Amino acid sequence: AVNPNTKSFREFPTFVENNLDTIGDKNIAIFCTGGIRCEKAAAYLESKGIYNVYNLQGGILKYLEEIPPKDSLWNGECFVFDQRISVVHGLQQGSCQLCRSCRTPLTPIERESPHYVEGIS
């Protein structure tokens, strides 16, 4: 597996351009939160002549919704872009909260930091 180490989807085309020679005819498996970016990524790869692209239909959210925890390969929580902040299997709300200052999701362990101030951080 290759992690492109991109911070945002905007960086994906540059990653592809810089790695076209190494991608070749390898099978590519991609996944994203809701599936939309994967569809865009697959279309972009196809426009570059890469056709062995497989994506997780419906994204991680559909996987968490449909696959029981006992059958799942997913570990942890999935960040979502709504008031839930994160979800777990069955799309139940996770334990993350948003930092009021930087808008980064914080886990319960991160909220135990002496740098975290309830209502401010």
Side-chain angles (χ1 to χ4, degrees):
V2 175
N3 180 345
N5 294 310
T6 55
K7 297 286 183 198
S8 75
F9 188 68
R10 286 184 289 270
E11 297 174 5
F12 184 70
T14 301
F15 170 80
V16 172
E17 293 296 329
N18 292 340
N19 292 279
L20 272 174
D21 293 340
T22 59
I23 294 172
D25 62 353
K26 294 178 183 172
N27 290 332
I28 309 290
I30 54 178
F31 62 91
C32 55
T33 305
I36 295 169
R37 282 174 290 159
C38 287
E39 290 177 13
K40 290 180 178 182
Y44 180 77
L45 289 166
E46 287 181 9
S47 77
K48 297 296 179 182
I50 302 166
Y51 299 100
N52 296 337
V53 180
Y54 304 90
N55 70 58
L56 184 59
Q57 295 297 315
I60 297 164
L61 293 178
K62 184 56 92 174
Y63 183 85
L64 291 174
E65 180 181 21
E66 293 182 351
I67 305 300
K70 66 179 179 59
D71 299 330
S72 175
L73 299 175
W74 181 262
N75 292 312
E77 299 182 11
C78 179
F79 178 77
V80 291
F81 302 94
D82 62 32
Q83 72 282 354
R84 296 172 295 178
I85 313 305
S86 65
V87 296
V88 295
H89 284 90
L91 301 184
Q92 298 300 309
Q93 184 169 345
S95 62
C96 291
Q97 296 177 4
L98 271 189
C99 172
R100 293 177 183 255
S101 179
C102 69
R103 310 288 295 158
T104 299
L106 301 172
T107 66
I109 292 171
E110 292 168 319
R111 294 193 306 271
E112 291 177 12
S113 166
H115 302 289
Y116 175 77
V117 179
E118 180 80 35
I120 296 174
S121 298

